[in-house]
């Protein structure tokens, strides 16, 4: 078989012929040594019975400086794969050195004739009814190479076909000559390689000649790294099912809350009459004003603390007195006792720290609600309205989502660089984003908590519907005061104050406010109606500063 790589090669061959020099190794018994002053090599190949390929190169380097060659051990194999070779037992006889590496074999030669020998692993691949044996017999030179000849190939069985490519890496140009002769010997020859150009030889042997040992690895390719394969599809479906299941459970529990809240609350008895006919106020499930706000919106807000301060005054732990200049004095009447919940004690100590008997509202400058929040969150869990602290649960899910996003990004990079499973990492990132966005919905209340929210609707109906004239005169002030902190936290204080503003303490048998006063002023519920919202606003501003 005879192949030409173009007019320059043909001209060079013709010139050699005119000079009386042989053009190929088949023209005479000894291999060609090339033109004087040029690099040339003659290569012998032997396929061992265990599948390894023994290579011997006789290289001629002209007088001058050192020359270098880098033999690649990873070569493109089509698509986004590389053929991976190994080289063992590299040796040089003559003028040079050889340094093995993980990705290439580095050779340095001095002028003269040297023999480079090594054993290649990974050169044999099964390909249907034949075995494919390939190797780059020349390439990676930093100088031009005048002539490369494969003069011998030995194997357990005679090759059935041969291919030889020469020129730039990846080009389809064929060698000047390659053949399996009538004596079944292998020959290949090419001339005039530029620096970096190569000669690849490929031989086809009968199937099963030797054990196949070819190794191919995928290389990074953006489109391939994120391709949709059966494996990535199954993984994404699994991630999607987990997300659907998680949000389905959340939807169910939240839906249960919504159904409970939207449904009929039923009658909620908040006014109790004792054996003597006295009427008093009793909250549903014993809930306190600060607890109501936390159970409804799952946050401890400033208004929850403000309503607790009002409630402590109503229950005779504090006294509130209006002062000139839109200020109020809060005085401790009774110290905290075992009747107070831990969060109520924290509110009391927030307003009146140890050793202090009174304080002006104007002196409360952002005292810090951290301790109150902790105790109030713990309290609603202790009362079984929540299974876990709402803020901790949300933080856990939020940070868990952030961790999934970061971990998914790292996983995406690793999978994309090493496989075609990059979409699985993207799926994990999306799961983390969903978890982060859903964190604010965590957790749902317990069944008891949902029932309490429904009862609070009944409490609102009471605040909207009850009339002061329906209450015994002697009990009006007590019911009004005990209900007022609940009206504050539920945003119903305006209507509640309006309902009782027309009462005339003393004249109509209604007692005066026992927990609130104004220096030098007689009890006046109409004035209290206008001043109390200012007190609430001042407390909110001071506590939230």
């Amino acid at each position: 078989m005879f192949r030409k790589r173009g007019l320059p090669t043909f001209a060079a061959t013709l010139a050699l012929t005119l000079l009386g020099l042989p053009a190929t190794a088949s023209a005479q018994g000894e291999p060609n040594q090339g033109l004087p002053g040029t690099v040339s090599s003659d290569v012998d190949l032997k396929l061992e019975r265990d599948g390894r390929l023994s290579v011997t190169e006789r290289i001629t380097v002209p007088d001058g400086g050192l020359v270098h060659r880098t033999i690649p051990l990873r070569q493109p194999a089509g698509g986004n794969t590389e053929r991976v070779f190994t080289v063992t037992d590299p040796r040089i006889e003559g003028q040079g050195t050889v340094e093995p590496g993980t990705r290439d074999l580095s050779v340095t030669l001095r002028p003269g004739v040297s023999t480079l020998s090594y054993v290649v692993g990974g050169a044999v691949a099964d390909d249907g009814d034949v075995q494919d044996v390939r190797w780059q017999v020349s390439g990676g030179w930093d100088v031009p190479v005048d002539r490369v000849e494969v003069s011998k190939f030995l194997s357990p069985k005679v090759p059935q076909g041969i291919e030889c490519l020469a020129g730039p890496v990846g080009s389809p140009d064929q060698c000047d000559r390659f053949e399996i002769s009538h004596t079944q010997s292998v020959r290949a020859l090419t001339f005039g390689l530029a620096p970096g150009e190569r000669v690849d030889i490929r031989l086809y042997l009968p199937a099963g000649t030797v054990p196949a040992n070819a190794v191919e690895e995928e290389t990074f390719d953006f489109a391939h790294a994120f391709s949709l394969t059966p494996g990535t599809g199954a993984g994404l479906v699994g991630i999607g099912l987990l997300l659907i299941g998680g949000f389905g459970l959340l939807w169910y529990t939240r839906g249960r809350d919504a159904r409970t809240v939207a449904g009929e609350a039923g009658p909620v008895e908040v006014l109790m009459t004792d054996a003597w006919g006295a009427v008093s106020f009793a909250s549903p499930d014993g809930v306190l004003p600060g607890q109501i706000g936390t159970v409804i919106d799952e946050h401890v807000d400033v208004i929850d603390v403000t309503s607790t301060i009002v409630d402590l005054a109503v229950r005779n732990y504090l006294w509130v007195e209006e002062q000139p200049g839109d200020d109020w004095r809060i005085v401790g009447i009774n110290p905290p006792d075992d009747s107070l919940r831990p969060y109520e004690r924290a509110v009391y100590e927030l307003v009146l720290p140890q050793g202090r008997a009174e304080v002006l509202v104007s002196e409360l400058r952002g005292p810090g609600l951290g301790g109150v929040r902790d105790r109030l969150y713990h309290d609603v869990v202790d009362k079984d309205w929540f299974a876990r602290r709402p803020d901790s649960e949300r933080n856990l899910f939020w940070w868990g989502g952030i961790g999934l996003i970061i971990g998914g990004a790292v996983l995406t990079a690793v999978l994309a660089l090493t496989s075609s499973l990059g979409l699985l990492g993207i799926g994990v990132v999306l799961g983390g984003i969903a978890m982060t966005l859903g964190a604010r919905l965590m957790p749902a209340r317990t069944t008891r908590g949902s029932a309490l929210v429904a009862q609070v609707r009944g409490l609102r109906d009471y605040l909207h519907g009850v009339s002061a004239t329906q209450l015994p005169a002697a009990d009006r002030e007590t019911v009004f005061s005990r209900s007022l902190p609940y009206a504050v936290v539920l945003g119903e204080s305006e209507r509640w104050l309006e309902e009782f503003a027309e009462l005339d303490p003393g004249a109509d048998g209604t007692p005066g406010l026992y927990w609130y006063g104004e220096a030098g002023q007689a009890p006046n519920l109409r004035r209290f109606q206008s001043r109390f919202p200012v007190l609430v606003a001042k407390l909110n501003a001071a506590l939230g500063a």
Side-chain angles (χ1 to χ4, degrees):
M1 185 179 294
F2 187 75
R3 295 287 186 271
K4 289 296 182 184
R5 295 199 297 131
L7 185 58
T9 303
F10 175 77
T13 306
L14 179 60
L16 290 172
T17 304
L18 292 174
L19 290 171
L21 297 174
T24 69
S26 60
Q28 79 184 52
E30 294 300 323
N32 240 325
Q33 298 305 313
L35 295 172
T38 61
V39 174
S40 62
S41 68
D42 181 77
V43 184
D44 289 345
L45 304 172
K46 181 181 180 183
L47 183 62
E48 309 290 349
R49 292 190 178 277
D50 60 2
R52 296 182 300 163
L53 182 66
S54 297
V55 182
T56 302
E57 301 182 29
R58 290 174 296 280
I59 305 168
T60 301
V61 178
D63 293 338
L66 300 175
V67 298
H68 302 276
R69 179 187 176 194
T70 301
I71 302 174
L73 301 182
R74 302 179 75 94
Q75 300 176 16
N80 62 315
T81 60
E82 287 183 335
R83 187 79 167 264
V84 181
F85 299 89
T86 59
V87 168
T88 57
D89 197 22
R91 290 179 293 177
I92 282 186
E93 295 178 6
Q95 307 300 313
T97 59
V98 58
E99 296 180 6
T102 57
R103 299 186 67 88
D104 53 49
L105 189 71
S106 181
V107 180
T108 301
L109 298 175
R110 299 181 182 87
V113 178
S114 302
T115 300
L116 171 65
S117 62
Y118 50 88
V119 178
V120 179
V124 183
D126 287 328
D127 186 10
D129 58 352
V130 297
Q131 282 193 317
D132 172 1
V133 182
R134 67 175 68 179
W135 179 240
Q136 189 175 101
V137 295
S138 182
W141 291 99
D142 63 351
V143 295
V145 178
D146 172 63
R147 173 184 158 280
V148 177
E149 180 176 3
V150 176
S151 57
K152 183 188 298 183
F153 177 75
L154 301 176
S155 70
K157 294 183 180 180
V158 177
Q160 298 176 342
I162 181 173
E163 290 182 8
C164 186
L165 301 178
V169 175
S171 72
D173 297 339
Q174 295 181 319
C175 300
D176 293 312
R177 181 172 181 176
F178 55 97
E179 65 180 358
I180 300 174
S181 70
H182 65 281
T183 61
Q184 298 182 339
S185 62
V186 172
R187 292 286 188 271
L189 178 68
T190 195
F191 295 99
L193 296 175
E197 294 187 343
R198 94 307 185 198
V199 175
D200 288 330
I201 192 164
R202 189 172 185 177
L203 295 154
Y204 298 98
L205 282 72
T209 299
V210 295
N213 54 18
V215 176
E216 290 188 354
E217 291 184 358
E218 292 182 343
T219 58
F220 177 75
D221 176 80
F222 188 83
H224 179 73
F226 295 95
S227 60
L228 183 60
T229 65
T232 56
L236 290 176
V237 168
I239 294 173
L241 290 176
L242 286 176
L243 288 176
I244 292 172
F247 276 97
L249 179 61
L250 181 60
W251 174 83
Y252 172 77
T253 53
R254 283 294 180 184
R256 180 197 63 199
D257 281 1
R259 290 189 296 272
T260 302
V261 173
E264 291 295 329
V268 177
E269 297 294 336
V270 295
L271 297 179
M272 304 296 176
T273 304
D274 61 18
W276 295 272
V279 177
S280 60
F281 171 85
S283 64
D285 203 11
V287 67
L288 296 169
Q291 296 169 337
I292 280 185
T294 305
V295 171
I296 290 177
D297 63 12
E298 302 179 1
H299 291 269
V300 175
D301 302 312
V302 172
I303 192 63
D304 302 331
V305 181
T306 297
S307 63
T308 299
I309 293 174
V310 175
D311 192 51
L312 289 174
V314 169
R315 288 157 60 193
N316 284 319
Y317 288 96
L318 301 173
W319 161 263
V320 181
E321 184 178 64
E322 186 176 351
Q323 302 293 304
D326 269 358
D327 206 353
W328 281 262
R329 183 170 67 104
I330 300 177
V331 182
I333 299 177
N334 294 304
D337 55 28
D338 293 340
S339 298
L340 295 184
R341 303 290 296 178
Y343 87 90
E344 293 179 301
R345 180 184 293 271
V347 172
Y348 186 100
E349 294 172 352
L350 179 74
V351 176
L352 295 175
Q354 187 176 7
R356 188 156 188 178
E358 61 181 61
V359 67
L360 293 175
V361 171
S362 59
E363 296 174 344
L364 298 174
R365 290 295 180 217
L369 303 182
V372 174
R373 283 196 174 97
D374 287 342
R375 288 173 175 80
L376 190 44
Y377 279 133
H378 183 273
D379 197 70
V380 293
V381 173
D382 185 60
K383 297 287 285 184
D384 196 32
W385 292 318
F386 290 96
R388 292 165 296 277
R389 277 184 57 151
D391 62 330
S392 297
E393 193 75 3
R394 285 189 295 270
N395 288 340
L396 176 64
F397 274 84
W398 192 86
W399 283 112
I402 294 297
L404 271 182
I405 292 172
I406 296 173
V410 173
L411 181 63
T412 299
V414 172
L415 291 177
L417 291 172
T418 59
S419 68
S420 60
L421 303 177
L423 282 178
L424 291 182
I426 296 294
V428 175
V429 171
L430 293 177
I433 293 174
M435 190 172 178
T436 302
L437 295 178
R440 64 187 183 87
L441 302 176
M442 298 290 179
R445 305 175 190 90
T446 62
T447 303
R448 181 177 178 181
S450 297
L452 176 62
V453 173
Q455 290 174 321
V456 169
R457 288 181 60 243
L459 176 58
R460 266 203 180 99
D461 292 342
Y462 151 75
L463 293 173
H464 275 287
V466 73
S467 171
T469 57
Q470 295 174 320
L471 303 172
D475 300 324
R476 289 172 184 168
E477 189 278 335
T478 301
V479 172
F480 167 72
S481 294
R482 289 289 291 121
S483 303
L484 184 58
Y486 295 88
V488 169
V489 77
L490 293 174
E492 302 292 342
S493 57
E494 181 178 354
R495 188 268 166 188
W496 195 244
L497 291 169
E498 177 69 28
E499 179 62 33
F500 286 83
E502 298 302 325
L503 297 180
D504 185 5
D508 59 4
T510 301
L513 293 176
Y514 60 90
W515 57 272
Y516 182 96
E518 183 180 359
Q521 297 290 333
N524 187 325
L525 289 178
R526 173 61 67 181
R527 175 173 171 76
F528 179 76
Q529 178 191 9
S530 64
R531 299 304 296 158
F532 181 75
V534 181
L535 168 63
V536 171
K538 292 279 188 179
L539 282 172
N540 286 340
L543 295 172

